[in-house]
Amino acid sequence: MNRPHRLLPPAPRFFPGQRWLNIGLRCAHLVGIAGVSGGYLFDLPEAQWRQFWHLTLGTGGLLVLLYVWTDVAWLLKLKGQAVLLKLALLALAHFYFPDWRGAAFIGVIVLSGFFAHAPDRLRSYAWGRAVRPCGSARIGETLK
């Protein structure tokens, strides 16, 4: 390895068509979320929305893999940590607090909207530092 700091994650990497794959996965993920809303908000029988649940989990998992492959520092950034928080909220509501499923689902939608439209300097924030916002800063640079 020629990198001076072997413990630091590699620079972001990309492949041809990655943006279109990301857009396609996000669109399918939104379709899944729309279908799951029937179960979480209107207490429909699981059989009516289960296929949407599988679509949501599958596309969400593929998006996480894509983001981590692109830049492992994604896990340290607020946008990565927000995804983990959303999963935790949904898991708690689904398995332990079923009466809170609707509220948790709305909370996840609000978190998603916030982090999707927040400035990159906030979404890329990690422990008091920007972690490569817009692919330009390096770990260790502070926000300006």
Side-chain angles (χ1 to χ4, degrees):
M1 295 183 126
N2 293 335
R3 285 184 288 129
H5 302 289
R6 293 172 195 238
L7 296 177
L8 295 179
R13 51 189 173 175
F14 303 96
F15 60 86
Q18 180 175 341
R19 182 164 182 83
W20 291 109
L21 175 62
N22 184 25
I23 290 169
L25 287 171
R26 283 179 183 232
C27 289
H29 192 67
L30 289 172
V31 169
I33 290 169
V36 169
S37 68
Y40 273 67
L41 297 177
F42 305 112
D43 214 18
L44 294 177
E46 188 175 332
Q48 290 185 327
W49 54 271
R50 182 178 308 164
Q51 68 274 17
F52 291 104
W53 179 252
H54 293 296
L55 178 63
T56 302
L57 289 178
T59 55
L62 289 172
L63 283 165
V64 167
L65 289 174
L66 179 63
Y67 299 149
V68 170
W69 179 86
T70 300
D71 187 2
V72 74
W74 178 84
L75 292 169
L76 302 174
K77 298 175 184 181
L78 284 181
K79 57 186 165 186
Q81 293 172 10
V83 169
L84 299 177
L85 174 62
K86 292 186 299 185
L87 283 171
L89 282 173
L90 289 174
L92 284 171
H94 187 78
F95 295 112
Y96 299 106
F97 304 105
D99 292 342
W100 294 4
R101 283 170 43 171
F105 188 78
I106 296 294
V108 165
I109 297 295
V110 169
L111 282 171
S112 298
F114 176 80
F115 279 98
H117 299 285
D120 194 45
R121 70 178 186 274
L122 174 65
R123 295 181 314 128
S124 295
Y125 195 75
W127 299 317
R129 301 182 187 282
V131 181
R132 286 194 212 123
C134 300
S136 60
R138 297 286 175 226
I139 291 178
E141 286 186 15
T142 57
L143 290 173
K144 297 178 180 170

